[in-house]
Amino acid sequence: MSGLDLTYLIELGWLVLQVFIVIIPLLIGVAYLTLAERRVIGFMQLRKGPNVVGPFGLLQPFADALKLLSKETILPAGADKVTFVIAPMLTFVLALVAWAVIPFGESLVIADINVGILYLFAVSSLGVYGIIMAGWASNSKYAFLGALRSAAQMVSYEVSMGLVIITVLLCVGSLNLSDIIEAQRTVWFALPLFPMFIVFFISTLAETNRAPFDLPEGESELVAGYFVEYSSMSFALFFLGEYANMILMSAMTTILFLGGWLPPFDIYPLNIIPGPIWFILKICFVLFVFLWMRATTPRYRYDQLMRLGWKVFLPFSLIWVVLTAGFLISFDMLPATAGLN
């Protein structure tokens, strides 16, 4: 074996190790996010939530996984079986591959590419294909209606999310996620761009089909939405994909508006806490707000959901992009890398 081949194998092995270092804690985090959701909502509704399996109920996610694994996988007779099986796998894989560009700390990233935010936006946009495939392949009216609802909802709110990201990029002048975080050393973008921060967070709720925008899973009219025909591990993949997307959207919110791995103030003892710890704590805070919203807000009607996306968020975020660009040009504050000053 030549030296070049050995170097390639070492680099490939290191890359695979990095992937496992990211994916395994992520999957454990997804499992315990399901437990955290049930416990948090239980406390908010003055009940205990799951607390029987293991000490303080900490083994409940593993009991749920064992239950799903032991169930039979049912393929509907009229379903397109290949597409039916691929759809949950696609949704789950897309929720994982986006983490390749997420920086957990300074130089702690698998792929530090210059178009990281574009990659993230592209991967999150592809998630709609798994949902459409699941709704169509199930050969069920309820699943198909749920898929159409979900696709329309995700496409609608991706527009406002894109405009919010453009606003941030105007302030930074770079598509690199690490550069976006470094640009927030003086002040987090959540303060000067607070309206965009709120729009982005609400859009992430709609993008992940979470309450109060969980219309695709409307039990009263659509039974369970696009995955009504799924069972066993195929259902579990959709379930895991949804919670992995919640963590991903929380990470995007942290990177774009909450300073990523940076501490809130550059003072002792805050600045001695490692960057990845700050990053994880901020993600946990945003996830708590996700759960808080589910526990306290009623579900929107579908016409209200669409009106909010197209008649409120779209024009508001577009106007804010124009105002931000005008402000930066007027005060000669455009970043040099933007190529516009």
Side-chain angles (χ1 to χ4, degrees), residues 26 47 56 128 149 239 256 271 319:
L26 175 63
R47 54 186 177 83
F56 306 105
V128 71
R149 272 188 173 189
F239 195 67
L256 292 173
N271 54 10
I319 290 170

Side-chain angles (χ1 to χ4, degrees), residues 11 17 30 73 75 86 90 117 143 154 161 171 212 287 310 319-320 326:
E11 290 179 354
L17 180 62
V30 167
T73 299
L75 293 175
I86 290 175
L90 178 65
I117 193 68
M154 292 174 75
M161 281 179 66
C171 299
L287 285 172
W310 290 106
I319 290 170
W320 197 272

